[in-house]
Amino acid sequence: GCPLVRDVFELTGDFCRVPKRKCHRHYCWEKLRRAEVDLERVRVWYKLDELFEQERNVRAAMTNRAGLLALMLHQTIQHD
């Protein structure tokens, strides 16, 4: 049956016990539930894409930094 909710979004853990064909209150609840799941997937994809972009930015910043190897390979000239 349809999962029952409180205050629109808070799941109660209970389910509608009326047979699906006779319940007029929860008409097409499966389609709505699938839409909610798809929306949550899209949100997760956006968050994952954002995290990949942040990782790419951090890696680019790390490669552009003057590290120990760059200091060791840098040549200086003494002007006496």
Side-chain angles (χ1 to χ4, degrees):
C2 176
L4 299 177
V5 294
R6 183 181 326 128
D7 296 330
V8 181
F9 296 111
E10 187 180 334
L11 292 174
T12 61
D14 295 331
F15 297 93
C16 179
R17 298 179 194 270
V18 179
K20 187 165 110 174
R21 293 181 186 209
K22 292 183 180 182
C23 183
H24 299 289
R25 186 173 181 194
H26 302 114
Y27 180 72
C28 288
W29 68 271
E30 291 172 330
K31 289 182 183 180
L32 294 174
R33 181 66 182 142
R34 280 192 212 118
E36 288 174 359
V37 170
D38 289 343
L39 183 62
E40 189 62 32
R41 280 185 184 168
V42 169
R43 286 181 183 152
V44 169
W45 285 340
Y46 278 132
K47 183 66 176 173
L48 189 62
D49 187 41
E50 182 180 314
L51 291 174
F52 279 137
E53 182 67 24
Q54 286 179 1
E55 181 183 11
R56 189 184 67 75
N57 290 339
V58 167
R59 287 186 189 272
M62 286 173 59
T63 58
N64 291 337
R65 246 183 228 161
L68 181 61
L69 183 62
L71 290 174
M72 291 173 60
L73 294 176
H74 185 69
Q75 295 179 356
T76 58
I77 301 172
Q78 279 188 339
H79 298 284
D80 289 333

